[in-house]
Amino acid sequence: MVAKLVAAERAPADARITKLDKANTSDLTAVSTLRGAMATFQDKATALKDATALVLRTATSGNTALFTATADSTASTGSYDIEVKQLASAAKFTTVALGSAATSTVETGTLAVTQGSTTFNVVINSTNNTLAGLRDAINLSAGTTGVTASLLTASDGVHLQINGGASGSANSLSLSATNMSGTGDVRLASLLSDSRTSATYSAATKVLGNGYITLTQGSNSFTVNTSNTTLQGFVDAVNSAGGNVGIKASLITEASGGVHVALIGAPGTAGTPVSMSYVTPHSNTNDISLPDFVENSSTQAAQKGVAANANIMINGLAATSATNAFSGAIQGVTVNVASVSAVGATTSLVVANNDAAISAKVADFVNAYNNLITTMAGLGGYNATTKTAGAMLGDSMMQTIQTQVRRTATMVVSGGSSVYNTLSAIGVVRDDTNKADVTGKLKVDATKLQAALTADSQSVSKVLAGSGGIATAFAAALDKHTETKTGVADLATREAIITARTKDIAKQKTVLETRIADYKARQTTIFNSLDGMLSKMQTTSSQLTQSLSKSTTG
């Protein structure tokens, strides 16, 4: 009984609050849907506010194996003849053969590696004083320069190669050494030197002819006695010679098992070769005659680390770049070169309007407009077939927005062409595909838009884009409604009202629950009291019945 009374008490208030809640939720959904459609369209309109938003260019290479190109809105249409003369390259520094293996010891000290205007130091100590350790130390010390080192093992021995990390003539590589210990198979300073290499012989114990060999580098020379001297003995004699001003001799074991003598020039003498000559008289009775040893030797030069710019010709005019990308040589165009042209041959570069991209942007804008128009029609209309009214039917805010949007879509843009000054003139026309559809949707007439772009692309751009364009007018019109500041924009004000109503409904629900709980408690107390009284009455009745029954019997 209490439950039925409570339900009856709750029903009217429950129905009223449920009705309020449903209406409020409907309003919130409608306003959120409207804001979403407006925001989407507003984003599209805002994107076209920039005067260059529809100034789109293509840059087409006549041979993409030679170069590719891109163009921005500042590029002018036209064609250019391009000849790629040279690609940009980073420096590559390769030493002469330094040792027989990656484990050959290197003297300790500090090697300075300079790329352009940036220098980093490589410290060689007892933990890394091998060719492999030197390579690794360079790679660890290079930091953000991009410089890398590797070892190349050739038939004559192990070479160190240092690769630059940046192209362009300003980023050449150079090396210098300081704090050198003077010990080890490989001297740091010899990384910069040229060398003279003997022919290959079968063993280090082969004996040279008796006589004298003079070694010369620049203005310095000294003589070594070769009498009964092995190849190893000759190396030792050179390194210990009193008049030696810095030439370093090494005996290098080749991959084939043979050996050769390498005479590395004095520190910092790259470009000044080491030469040998034998002194007469001499003896050819031993394993290797002095003429054979001297005349079959050859010079190896360290390859300098020179970086190069990329060079191209544009309509016969020279342009250069530190990288393979040329930006600014042609205004608004970036040319990326990939290979060198045949001598004297040119390849076309055509900069044109990107009509396909412009059309796609226009179509994207129209789709967002139609989405907004359709959304508003659904929210503010009436479906006669289903007899269902939109959630915002008759809403003055909705009607104001609809009027402003439709009026803006038909505006005439001033300051441009007298022919192409409206949306319809550039091919954005009313969509009459469905005669029953009276929402005012638009469509893109592709043929008409292309004709307008071909005839006057600048005016087409002005109709939509820029400060006086229709997109800017749309953005301004919608800004007044979509601002988030309450009291300034009607959408924000409406949302604030709905939020306040939501809080009030929640409060009413709380109050109702409290009232119903009290009501239930009171009714329960009353019914419990009635149950007690009824129980007592039933007991008294039973006692009276028993007393009457006894008196009748007696």
Side-chain angles (χ1 to χ4, degrees), residues 40-383:
T40 299
F41 180 59
Q42 194 171 20
D43 287 344
K44 302 298 181 184
T46 300
L48 294 178
K49 289 172 68 175
D50 188 333
T52 63
L54 289 180
V55 181
L56 305 176
R57 304 284 190 248
T58 59
T60 305
S61 167
N63 184 349
T64 55
L66 292 175
F67 66 87
T68 58
T70 57
D72 62 29
S73 61
T74 65
S76 299
T77 58
S79 61
Y80 306 87
D81 294 324
I82 307 292
E83 179 185 0
V84 183
K85 304 285 285 185
Q86 176 177 287
L87 299 182
S89 61
K92 186 180 293 183
F93 189 101
T94 305
T95 69
V96 298
L98 299 174
S100 300
T103 54
S104 296
T105 59
V106 178
E107 71 171 326
T108 59
T110 301
L111 179 69
V113 181
T114 300
Q115 177 178 254
S117 60
T118 302
T119 298
F120 63 90
N121 292 321
V122 182
V123 177
I124 306 301
N125 52 39
S126 60
T127 67
N128 58 5
N129 62 329
T130 64
L131 285 177
L134 173 60
R135 172 202 61 201
D136 296 341
I138 292 173
N139 290 333
L140 287 172
S141 303
T144 59
T145 64
V147 173
T148 60
S150 58
L151 295 180
L152 305 178
T153 301
S155 60
D156 61 344
V158 179
H159 302 250
L160 175 69
Q161 178 170 304
I162 302 176
N163 299 303
S167 61
S169 59
N171 292 305
S172 293
L173 285 173
S174 63
L175 307 178
S176 62
T178 56
N179 303 319
M180 296 168 285
S181 65
T183 59
D185 297 332
V186 180
R187 303 293 174 83
L188 289 179
S190 58
L191 301 180
L192 302 174
S193 303
D194 297 337
S195 73
R196 176 163 289 277
T197 303
S198 73
T200 301
Y201 301 101
S202 59
T205 55
K206 291 295 181 180
V207 179
L208 290 170
N210 295 328
Y212 295 89
I213 291 179
T214 298
L215 286 80
T216 302
Q217 185 176 33
S219 60
N220 299 306
S221 65
F222 61 95
T223 300
V224 175
N225 187 341
T226 63
S227 298
N228 298 314
T229 299
T230 63
L231 290 175
Q232 181 62 61
F234 175 75
V235 167
D236 295 338
V238 170
N239 290 334
S240 61
N244 189 344
V245 292
I247 294 174
K248 167 71 175 176
S250 300
L251 191 66
I252 296 178
T253 302
E254 300 178 3
S256 63
V259 297
H260 70 262
V261 173
L263 300 168
I264 299 177
T269 58
T272 304
V274 176
S275 64
M276 290 193 297
S277 61
Y278 54 90
V279 180
T280 58
H282 56 84
S283 169
N284 295 326
T285 58
N286 295 328
D287 298 325
I288 306 170
S289 72
L290 294 190
D292 174 76
F293 183 72
V294 170
E295 294 169 4
N296 288 324
S297 66
S298 60
T299 296
Q300 284 188 336
Q303 298 179 22
K304 297 296 187 64
V306 178
N309 289 334
N311 298 315
I312 63 174
M313 302 294 288
I314 306 172
N315 291 347
L317 302 176
T320 187
S321 171
T323 69
N324 287 321
F326 289 78
S327 298
I330 303 172
Q331 182 178 339
V333 178
T334 298
V335 178
N336 298 290
V337 296
S339 59
V340 176
S341 304
V343 177
T346 62
T347 301
S348 66
L349 168 62
V350 178
V351 179
N353 289 323
N354 192 344
D355 292 347
I358 294 171
S359 296
K361 277 200 170 187
V362 173
D364 198 30
F365 175 80
V366 169
N367 288 338
Y369 173 87
N370 287 341
N371 177 62
L372 175 58
I373 287 292
T374 302
T375 299
M376 290 192 296
L379 292 172
Y382 179 79
N383 190 320

Side-chain angles (χ1 to χ4, degrees), residues 546-554:
Q546 290 177 3
S547 295
L548 291 172
S549 175
K550 288 179 180 180
S551 68
T552 303
T553 303

Side-chain angles (χ1 to χ4, degrees), residues 444-462:
V444 177
D445 184 329
T447 301
K448 192 173 182 179
L449 176 57
Q450 183 58 57
L453 288 170
T454 302
D456 191 350
S457 62
Q458 189 174 9
S459 291
V460 172
S461 175
K462 285 184 177 180

